[in-house]
Every structure is written in structure tokens, then in C-alpha cells.
Amino acid sequence: MSEAIVRFGIIGCAEIARKVSRAITLAPNSTIYAVASRSLEKASNFAAQNSFPPGTKIYGTYDALLEDPDVDAVYLPLPTSLHIRWAVAAACKGKHILLEKPVAMNVAEFDEIVKACSENGVQLMDGTMWMHHPRTAKMKEFLLDKAIFGDLKSMHTCFTFGADADFLANDIRVKPHLDGLGSLGDAGWYCIRSILWLADFELPETVTALPGPVLNDAGVILSCGASLRWKDGKVATFHCSFLSHLTMDITAIGSKGTLHVHDFIIPFQEEEASFSIASEAWFDEFVTKWTGKRSEHVVKAELPQEACMVKEFSSLVNAIRTKGSKPEMKWPTISRKTQLVLDSVKQSIEQGFVGVGVLQ
Amino acid sequence: MSEAIVRFGIIGCAEIARKVSRAITLAPNSTIYAVASRSLEKASNFAAQNSFPPGTKIYGTYDALLEDPDVDAVYLPLPTSLHIRWAVAAACKGKHILLEKPVAMNVAEFDEIVKACSENGVQLMDGTMWMHHPRTAKMKEFLLDKAIFGDLKSMHTCFTFGADADFLANDIRVKPHLDGLGSLGDAGWYCIRSILWLADFELPETVTALPGPVLNDAGVILSCGASLRWKDGKVATFHCSFLSHLTMDITAIGSKGTLHVHDFIIPFQEEEASFSIASEAWFDEFVTKWTGKRSEHVVKAELPQEACMVKEFSSLVNAIRTKGSKPEMKWPTISRKTQLVLDSVKQSIEQGFVGVGVLQ
């Protein structure tokens, strides 16, 4: 018996919603059912411009969409500051929620979202797409292989892109009352998530922001970095920025191996993605060249990673709807940890780059 | 007229001296003329085991080698704590000096070495080999091309290798009175040098050590990192360690381009070395894959980089000897800057990870 089709309502017509709408269409267990904007016209245009299925319900308010009993799940690409209001509202209407990142302005807000989801038995997942690429699972296999990688020792991740003048003046990600976490919330989210993913979601003991963040006149972070330290001694750094050329790296160093990937958030190509590993590398007799194993691994992607994400989300929704399963708490748990570290970086910046203890 | 041959005396029989001896033999303007150890037997064995030219002078004390008027230049691979004594002694005997890194235990010591070299008109160069690989010049061309790379924004470099139990117990690099700067002096030297090289040797304004350095029982650094910040806002981080798998990365991000290299200190192969660049990369319409230029550049090496280093050093020596040129101050200047940043990292660790201003 094939899986039921989860009917999505899209709340808000952000640019990212175009990509996720396509993903909903590509995912075999999902369909676009409705779209809402603050005006009927905007929603209608968005549906037309993005080839939404004929008959897609068009709503001129978010509330109207949430009232539709045939909407199973919502995708929420709204500005971060609106997440708490609309995610809680969606949960209270029994809608499962695929929530854009950063999930909230801070952990306290996110906890309210999680509480509303729990009380209403709905699935919550954030929109961190690369987590769902088959490459990610392959990399994890390598990282967990003690014989090849050993114990995780240090990590560096970065995500930077060069925003243009229009973005830096007008984008919601530079506006304190919209996506007020700026590049930390947008780009830094991925850096922090990747570090936590590397560390099997063990939280660091302390987070220390690095000197030299760049803030705009409204106090929104355009560029920053941080240093993380775990109880067992492993360490990480990351750097995120709206002010540098597009770069997205993970370097993970274990006691026996090293992982490099240069396109972890959005793969260079859609059909396949690669990563490179080295294990037990050393030098020849005169220390003039390397010995040991270095290799490039290519992983095919049958579906784009964002469609894998939607598919996974909808499978969980279907399990709840048809099998009486409980919502999968893994996803909100890692969202919360990511937000917690993000909050700590922000706090460290605000307090002059002191080390901030992360509540375990 | 072909260049004169510079006659090297090798002072100390460290493992690294094997590699540099080979390089002296390979460099067309250089030859091994003498070797000294603390015992005649050790020096003699070292010469035999490393196929030194027949007739190589064998000395049982460093002083005896320095007294030999036919020694033009010395290569000093002694433990760092001995550099000041023997580099100053060599300079006073009019010997040009190729000095292993780190150049001294601190800048004050190095300044005494520089002073002795200046007073005696001898060339001083440190043994940072990768600076002399033709790839390094090629990478610099890219970095200086504003149309391709734009302005330098952020950097991350690392050098880690997994030392074995014997190294961690017995190597001079874990002994406070020998190479007492530990992994910061050994591996961190390369990280700092590469960052300064990226920044065209402009010194950072502040250096802040990262939380979580690992020290051995004697207080020698086995693993550490730092964050650097320049007046114009550019930033860098580095990580160095004796406790992780072999990794040596440079990531340099400009406003328009990104450079990646994963074998900057010792190339994967001796005959050629590569680096990758991306410029004006962006995404396709749905932000599902990259657009823009990404390319791998391969640079052939006619000579191994360490032989390029010896050749460059000997050319400078010959210019002094035959053309009356002044010693090239570029090399001791960048050695000093590297040591200065290194000292700042150490100071920051000792002072609890405070930001340390770097005296310009």
C-alpha cells in the first residue's frame, strides 16, 4: 500500500518557498494544497508563477489557511520574528509544521513552539535541507568508523556569501524586527548545525564568540564567528558572513582521519554530491610527500535534498496520522540545540566575547 | 657565467636535516661541505647514512665547524632554545644562516639573532619551505587579482598531525627546555605564517587564543588555536595540534573569490601541487546548485620546495658575496612577524584568552 499524500499549506511567499514548493511537488508523499499570503493577490500570483497544482487553495490571510481542515501540514517560511506566533497558531489547529530556520529568535520562543506542538501531537521539523541529503548519511558512516576516523578532535565550518547592496539595505535578514539574528541566524545556523551534527549533537560546554563581528547600524550581525569547546576536549570554530564570497566548508579532524566537504549546504550539482576523506595519512621517508589513503566519495541523489526533507517530514506525519505514532522528537531536539548554541554566540558577542556556558 | 656554489655546514643531525641535506644536494648553487654534531661519531654516521659528498668535513663540535673558513653558510636544525646561541655564534663568524622554525623562543631572542646578522652582513632565512614552492607564487597571483578574488575577508588555516606515544613522551617538541613552544611553535608556525602570507604580512591588530588548548604535564602546548583580527575588519582563525590526524588547510575568502588548499605545507606529491579557486560563485534559480567558476590549478615543481628554498637562499648569499648586495631583509622581517604573532598567542593563552594587541 503506498503512503498517503500529505497536503501542505504554504504560509508566506518568501523566495525560499519557491524552492520548497518545488520540493513538495517532487516528494512522492506530498502535495501543495494551499497557499496563504497577507493578500489574496500575492498568494494567487505566487501560485501561478510557481506552477502550483490547479485547484490550489488561495488564502489572503494565514488564519484562513489554518482554518482549512484539509491542510495536513504547513510550511512556514516567514521572518523569524513571526515564527512563534504562526507556528503556535498552526500547532493549535493541529497542523504539522515544517519550519524555516532559524526556528525562533531565541530558545525561549522555540520552547513555546515545541510545547504547542507537543500538546497538539503534531510533528515539528526545521528546514535544514542538507541534513536529508544521502551524502550526509554517508559522511556520518565514515565519521562513526573508529578504524578510519578515530575520535573527533576538531572541527571548522563556515558559510559565507556576498550579499549585494540591495540585500544589505532591504533584506529581512538585516532588519532587527524581522530576521533579527542576521547572518548568525541565517548562515551561522548551518555552521552550528553542522558542528553539532559532527559532535553527534552533544552540546559544547562553552561557546565563545570571536572578536571582530560586523554589525549594521541597526545592530544586526552581518558577520561573526565563534569557538566551541566540549568537556572531552574537542574544539570547533565557525565563521559566517553576508560579506564574503560564497563558501560552505566542513573540515572535521579525528584522531585517525579527516573529512573535507566544500558544498555541504547546497551541493555543487543537484544529481550527486561528494566529500573527501583521508585516513592514516603520513609522509614518505624524506617528508616530501604524503602517504596513506585519500579518496573522493560521490553520492547520487535520486531526489534533491529538499525533496528528501519533505519526504521524510511527510513520512513522519503519515505515521502519526495512520499508525498513531508519536511525533519524532529527534528533529525539534536538534533544532533546539542549534538555537541554544546560536543564542550563546549572540550572548557572548553582547557580553564582550566572554565564554558562555551552554546549559546542558 | 653560472652561479658560485654555496658551501653549507650543517649544525646538528636532526631528522629534518636529512630532508634539507637532500635539498642542498638538489639545489644547483649549493653543496654540503661540512657537518657538525656534539660527537664526531654522530656527525660521521649522519654523513654516511645520508650519502653526503665524499670529503665532507666532519666536526665533533659546532664551534669547530664555525671556525672553518670554507663554510659559507650554515643550516641550523637545532632545538629552538639553542637557536639564539648558535645563530648568533654563526653570524659572528660571518656565516649566512638558514634557520629552522620557530626561529627563536620569542621575538626578543630573535631580535638578537637579527642584530648579529646585520652587524656581520649575513643573510638570514627561516626554513619555511612551502613559501618557496612555485604553487605559492601562483596562489598569490590569484589572491592579488581583485577582479577574481576581491578583497581578503576571512581566513582559516590548520596544521595538525597525530604524534605517537613516543613523540609525546620524548620528542624535543614536547620538552619545555628544547622546543618549548610545542605544537604552537612547530605546527602553529605554519598556520600563522600562512595567515600573514595571505594578509601580505600586514600584522593583525589583536590576537586572541581560543579556549581549550591542550598542554602536557610540563606545560608545553600540544594543541591550540587563535583568532586574529585586523584593523580593516578582516579576520582569521587557526588550529594546530599534535593530537589529530594529519591535516593542513588554507581557506581564504575574499569578497569575490575563495581559495582552498589541503596540502600547503607538504604537497601530496613532490612533482606537482594544486589548489582550487572559486570566483563569483552563486546559485541557480531555485538555489539547488552552484553557478560560477570553480577550478583546480596544478603547478609543476621542477625542484622540491625545500630545494627551491635552498636555491633562493644561496642566490641571496651569492649576491652578497659576489655583487656586494645587502642581505635581503624580507626574510628575517617575515620571520619576525610570524614569531611576534606566535608570542601573542602564547601570551593570550597564559593570560586566560584575553585579546593581545600586536605591536606594529
Side-chain angles (χ1 to χ4, degrees), chain B residues 47-197:
Chain B
Q49 281 155 11
N50 293 288
S51 312
F52 280 11
T56 297
K57 295 280 180 73
I58 310 292
Y59 291 109
T61 70
Y62 305 155
D63 279 318
L65 185 146
L66 293 180
E67 291 295 339
D68 186 330
D70 291 330
V71 169
D72 302 317
V74 293
Y75 168 58
L76 276 184
L78 299 171
T80 311
S81 58
L82 301 178
H83 284 190
I84 181 164
R85 173 172 172 195
W86 291 106
V88 168
C92 292
K93 293 291 176 185
K95 311 304 186 194
H96 304 279
I97 302 168
L98 183 59
L99 182 63
E100 260 313 324
K101 34 62 51 186
V103 288
M105 290 302 290
N106 53 57
V107 162
E109 282 191 6
F110 186 63
D111 284 344
E112 290 192 44
I113 295 173
V114 173
K115 184 165 168 276
C117 289
S118 294
E119 286 172 357
N120 292 282
V122 299
Q123 182 65 47
L124 177 61
M125 182 189 276
D126 73 47
T128 311
M129 300 166 180
W130 70 269
M131 296 286 295
H132 304 269
H133 195 291
R135 171 176 64 176
T136 304
K138 270 284 164 207
M139 292 194 291
K140 199 54 166 181
E141 275 178 36
F142 163 65
L143 294 166
L144 291 175
D145 190 330
K146 294 277 182 199
I148 298 177
F149 188 70
D151 298 312
L152 181 61
K153 293 293 201 172
S154 77
M155 300 156 263
H156 178 74
T157 73
C158 70
F159 183 25
T160 64
F161 60 88
D164 60 20
D166 179 55
F167 181 112
L168 293 174
N170 303 312
D171 194 89
I172 58 169
R173 286 166 280 187
V174 300
K175 300 292 182 188
H177 301 299
L178 295 171
D179 277 354
L181 297 170
S183 73
L184 176 62
D186 187 43
W189 174 273
Y190 292 103
C191 300
I192 293 168
R193 169 60 60 85
S194 63
I195 288 170
L196 290 172
W197 171 79

Side-chain angles (χ1 to χ4, degrees), chain A residues 208-320:
Chain A
T208 312
L210 303 180
V214 178
L215 278 65
N216 70 10
D217 290 343
V220 175
I221 296 167
L222 303 180
S223 168
C224 72
S227 167
L228 293 74
R229 184 179 181 278
W230 280 256
K231 216 168 183 173
D232 68 359
K234 56 176 181 281
V235 290
T237 46
F238 78 82
H239 175 69
C240 61
S241 178
F242 288 158
L243 307 173
S244 312
H245 180 254
L246 181 61
T247 309
M248 46 177 86
D249 291 346
I250 292 175
T251 304
I253 313 179
S255 53
K256 285 191 172 181
T258 303
L259 167 83
H260 283 120
V261 54
H262 293 303
D263 59 349
F264 81 99
I265 301 160
I266 313 259
F268 293 135
Q269 300 167 267
E270 211 172 2
E271 303 74 26
E272 59 180 43
S274 67
F275 61 94
S276 69
I277 63 175
S279 181
E280 300 196 77
W282 199 243
F283 303 117
D284 69 335
E285 187 195 348
F286 282 105
V287 195
T288 58
K289 65 181 177 214
W290 291 44
T291 60
K293 296 179 279 288
R294 290 181 299 112
S295 52
E296 187 86 5
H297 297 255
V298 179
V299 181
K300 301 271 175 202
E302 278 183 45
L303 280 176
Q305 62 183 5
E306 58 276 12
C308 295
M309 173 180 76
V310 171
K311 188 182 168 194
E312 168 74 9
F313 172 78
S314 291
S315 288
L316 296 172
V317 169
N318 277 330
I320 296 167

